Amino acid sequence: MRLPVIPPAKLTPQQKSLYDEMRSGIASNFNAFKVEREDGALMGPWNPWLHEPAIGKAIWDLTLAMTANASLPDNVRQIAILVVGARFDAIPPMR
């Protein structure tokens, strides 16, 4: 089941704070693929984190820590993420 994408105009204050933090980090660290709709709504793994911002914030912090301390080159790490996602049908079909 996929959670509905939350347009920025409908974010609660707690969601908006996390959204702003993630959007800034995504722009500098995770910009190799499309993560945002035209209206600014975040897609991919970031959208579910906004649905539960207290948990999402913890996951976001963990993501930043793992990225900062990664031992694999970025391109190899991204391929590994895609392979695991494909194996478990976590990647949505292209539309």
Side-chain angles (χ1 to χ4, degrees), residues 3-93:
L3 294 170
V5 177
I6 307 171
K10 297 200 176 205
L11 295 170
T12 66
Q14 191 179 16
Q15 289 170 323
K16 178 75 167 105
S17 174
L18 178 57
Y19 169 87
D20 289 341
E21 184 178 336
M22 289 193 305
R23 198 160 177 237
S24 174
I26 290 166
S28 61
N29 295 305
F30 305 100
N31 56 10
F33 45 92
K34 185 174 179 175
V35 300
E36 201 175 292
R37 292 190 324 194
E38 282 72 29
D39 67 354
L42 295 178
M43 304 181 301
W46 297 282
N47 176 58
W49 303 350
L50 289 172
H51 282 266
E52 292 294 335
I55 296 169
K57 171 77 169 116
I59 296 170
W60 174 244
D61 289 342
L62 176 62
T63 299
L64 292 176
M66 289 188 315
T67 300
N69 295 292
S71 58
L72 292 174
D74 192 52
N75 60 342
V76 174
R77 193 167 50 84
Q78 293 302 326
I79 290 170
I81 290 168
L82 292 172
V83 168
V84 171
R87 168 64 181 89
F88 291 99
D89 296 321
I91 300 171

